[in-house]
Amino acid sequence: MAEQFEPARFFRFLGFDSGDQQYSCPDLKTLNVYCRGDEAQLERLISHTPLHLEGDIFVVTVADFENCTMTRGRYFDSGIIIPVSYGEEKGGTYFFEFEDEHWSTATGRELWGYPKRYAKISLEQDETGARGRTWHYETALLDGSVEFDDAVTNEAWSHLAFAPNIQVRAVPEFDGDSYSHFDVIKRNTVANFVTKERRYGHGSVSLGPVDIGSGVLDGRPLEVVEVLGAEYTVGDFASTAENGTPVTLGSLV
């Protein structure tokens, strides 16, 4: 009698671990640049989802998971987070997101619905500030920086919630024009984050074609009306069973 196949073995072939994995990243380094966008443009973008726009400010973010405890180790993450709500839940959705490793790109997209694309990413910091960049082949996708200034505060954006993450995990049908699963999920790793260092300052940002792979901007740039400021943080990240495992907020299919 043939041995029955154990489906969990297939994760090895996919190149990433299961959705209930727990991992951490001590001394996670993150640059966030806060921008005021064009509200009408942001509304059009969010209209492609079942989410509701909560403000005209978005975050350009770059993070260095140098000390990640996942099996395959270090990776960089970058993207653009927009404040949204779904029902009574408020948070931030990664509307554009990039990873610099194939396994981390697949992990976030397949398991939890993050719209990750593969790109190259860097984050550098010194005593005066920090700079994060993302590029695809020879094309610059985003370039953000902070010049430290202790006189700068977070007053301009503190009224908005950019966490927890609220994402749409949609699995298309293989034999139809709809989806076999279409879920809105919440993932709240910020609940376990321990901040060790936070510095504010003046921000700058330059955006290229951040909609690579989807073309959802129809050839237009993502508008930056004003750069409000920026922050650089160092802290201990953890994706735990309690807060790293997503919670389903709604199933539309």
Side-chain angles (χ1 to χ4, degrees):
M1 181 176 179
E3 176 187 358
Q4 183 172 346
F5 181 74
E6 172 51 55
R9 290 164 53 189
F10 200 64
F11 278 114
R12 177 66 184 275
F13 172 78
L14 293 174
F16 56 83
D17 297 323
S18 60
D20 62 352
Q21 62 189 285
Q22 299 182 57
Y23 62 99
S24 62
C25 182
D27 293 328
L28 170 66
K29 304 172 183 67
T30 306
L31 167 67
N32 292 320
V33 183
Y34 293 84
C35 306
R36 188 178 305 282
D38 178 88
E39 189 165 5
Q41 184 185 51
L42 296 176
E43 287 279 13
R44 287 194 298 272
L45 292 177
I46 294 299
S47 72
H48 293 287
T49 78
L51 310 179
H52 174 74
L53 182 68
E54 286 294 325
D56 63 355
I57 297 172
F58 61 84
V59 185
V60 176
T61 182
V62 181
D64 180 357
F65 284 80
E66 178 181 12
N67 302 316
C68 183
T69 62
M70 295 178 79
T71 305
R72 293 160 186 85
R74 179 179 187 164
Y75 65 96
F76 285 86
D77 172 278
S78 70
I80 292 172
I81 307 171
I82 300 176
V84 297
S85 61
Y86 183 78
E88 299 299 314
E89 295 283 351
K90 293 184 178 181
T93 190
Y94 276 87
F95 200 89
F96 304 105
E97 189 172 14
F98 310 97
E99 303 278 331
D100 72 333
E101 296 288 348
H102 291 292
W103 66 266
S104 61
T105 303
T107 299
R109 290 180 64 173
E110 299 299 320
L111 293 180
W112 303 311
Y114 291 95
K116 297 182 177 183
R117 310 286 180 179
Y118 179 80
K120 300 304 292 181
I121 306 170
S122 67
L123 179 59
E124 301 169 336
Q125 182 265 338
D126 60 26
E127 65 277 2
T128 65
R131 182 184 184 188
R133 291 178 288 175
T134 301
W135 64 96
H136 181 246
Y137 291 96
E138 301 302 319
T139 302
L141 302 180
L142 64 85
D143 190 336
S145 64
V146 58
E147 180 184 353
F148 296 141
D149 185 339
D150 292 337
V152 176
T153 70
N154 67 343
E155 182 178 1
W157 61 84
S158 61
H159 61 290
L160 292 171
F162 293 98
N165 297 153
I166 299 176
Q167 302 297 142
V168 177
R169 182 181 184 270
V171 181
E173 293 179 315
F174 60 81
D175 59 354
D177 61 359
S178 185
Y179 297 88
S180 59
H181 292 81
F182 195 103
D183 301 319
V184 180
I185 65 173
K186 177 181 75 171
R187 188 163 177 258
N188 194 26
T189 55
V190 71
N192 295 108
F193 189 77
V194 178
T195 303
K196 294 180 174 179
E197 175 186 349
R198 172 177 277 116
R199 296 195 65 180
Y200 296 113
H202 304 285
S204 64
V205 71
S206 175
L207 299 178
V210 293
D211 60 341
I212 59 167
S214 70
V216 71
L217 284 166
D218 297 322
R220 301 180 181 90
L222 182 64
E223 297 287 343
V224 177
V225 176
E226 178 185 7
V227 178
L228 302 173
E231 66 179 359
Y232 178 81
T233 63
V234 179
D236 293 339
F237 168 95
S239 179
T240 64
E242 180 180 6
N243 295 310
T245 304
V247 174
T248 301
L249 300 179
S251 295
L252 280 69
V253 173

